[in-house]
Amino acid sequence: MKLADLNKVALAMVTPGKGILAADESSGTIKKRFDAIKVESTEENRRDYREMLFRSQEAMSKYISGVILYDETIWQNAKDGTPLIKLIEQAGSIPGIKVDEGTQALPNCPGELVTVGLDKLAERLKKYYERGARFAKWRAVIDIGTGGIPSMTAIRVNAHALARYAALCQAAQIVPIVEPEVLMDGDHDIERCYDVTSRVLNQTFRELRVQRVELEGMVLKPNMAIAGKKSAKQASVEEVAEKTIRMLKACVPAAVPGIAFLSGGQSDEEATAHLNAMNRIGNLPWKLTFSFGRALQAAPQKAWSGRPENVAAGQRAFTHRARMNALASKGEWATDMEKKAA
Ligand code: 5MM
């Protein structure tokens, strides 16, 4: 493993003023997104949609440091025959790949999940590297519920798998994005999210150390400390920022080059405002940016709605969200910038 090269890629992924586009929706998830805009989820439509994003020249070259792809996409060609991965590289952005194979029920832990996909991962990583992927992603899913959920078993098993994946990535000269997502479903308050996420992060870094993962050669993709969607007690933007930073400072070693947040179902503007407020706090040991899926794509999906004549509108919507989040990654975003663009 060449750690200096891994570190270089990790730093490029979290360049201030840029962030990551999570376009790695599996077939089931992209179908749900397309159902919402009444578009059939065919291979051609998925290709056309993602081609629209990757050909958004301004967004891709100025604001998007890297793109997380799904297996189907990394092997797909654009309409004119150019591999989609080449469009990303030509824009100066780094291609990455989701390598987990989704979740399964965790035995002996009713209602909890474990992420799978370690079998033959070394071979798959080799093929993805040859195709051009320079980073990968694996997402663990932790739910906050009642009756002892999450269990320590679910936290430990998922952290172990994340670390196994990260070690295999680094051996294949691929930067792992380590994503332990604590879901914001439910009615828990911000304090409970803070406590559970802290436990999850502590266990994840414990496992990463045990498995000798080089922290300088990875990127963390966590959730923010935030109240559940159904909670009557929603925290202010400042409280989310302050608590998230406090939590991360307590749990994430300074050797990690960067933290790229997931949006987790927050509205577009909420996710941007939270990232911005955190970067305003400043004086942080790691770079803080975005690795949003929904909060970058909801607007372009709606503007495009599967119609070729809407491609330019879809690209404008994507460029706008990418720019707003790029500003937030430097703490330079303000609400009135959204209004001006509307
Ligand atoms: C883009 O969505 C990703 C893929 O999800 P599935 O494997 O469930 O299809 C997802 O992992 C995503 O990268 C993260 O959850 C961040 O996306 P959000 O929408 O939370 O910003």
Side-chain angles (χ1 to χ4, degrees), residues 22-30 32-33 68 70 98 100 102 137 139 141 179 181 221 261-266 291-297:
D24 59 314
E25 297 86 354
S26 51
S27 308
T29 304
I30 197 74
K32 274 193 236 153
R33 307 281 180 261
I68 315 174
Y70 182 54
K98 184 237 292 294
D100 69 65
K137 194 201 87 174
R139 181 169 71 117
V141 183
E179 181 180 4
E181 175 172 10
K221 176 165 173 169
F261 290 100
L262 58 91
S263 57
Q266 299 176 46
S291 174
F292 295 161
R294 282 162 286 183
L296 272 176
Q297 295 189 65

Side-chain angles (χ1 to χ4, degrees), residues 161-175:
L162 272 168
R164 289 268 292 125
Y165 139 83
L168 285 164
C169 283
Q170 292 190 337
Q173 209 50 47
I174 286 182
V175 171

Side-chain angles (χ1 to χ4, degrees), residues 95-137:
I97 180 79
K98 184 237 292 294
V99 298
D100 69 65
E101 293 178 331
T103 54
Q104 283 181 4
L106 179 62
N108 305 324
C109 295
E112 297 193 279
L113 300 169
V114 59
T115 301
V116 297
L118 289 169
D119 290 348
K120 303 218 168 68
L121 180 55
E123 288 92 318
R124 289 196 286 131
L125 287 168
K126 192 164 177 282
K127 286 196 194 118
Y128 288 140
Y129 185 91
E130 283 162 8
R131 183 71 175 168
R134 291 296 174 265
F135 69 92
K137 194 201 87 174

Side-chain angles (χ1 to χ4, degrees), residues 72-110:
E72 175 185 87
T73 322
I74 202 168
W75 306 108
Q76 253 174 346
N77 291 337
K79 238 188 189 115
D80 68 1
T82 313
L84 288 179
I85 193 170
K86 284 275 164 275
L87 299 182
I88 297 167
E89 290 167 352
Q90 282 161 9
S93 188
I94 310 169
I97 180 79
K98 184 237 292 294
V99 298
D100 69 65
E101 293 178 331
T103 54
Q104 283 181 4
L106 179 62
N108 305 324
C109 295

Side-chain angles (χ1 to χ4, degrees), residues 287-307:
K287 304 278 183 290
L288 283 193
T289 190
F290 57 93
S291 174
F292 295 161
R294 282 162 286 183
L296 272 176
Q297 295 189 65
Q301 275 162 8
K302 207 166 156 211
W304 171 65
S305 288
R307 299 209 177 92

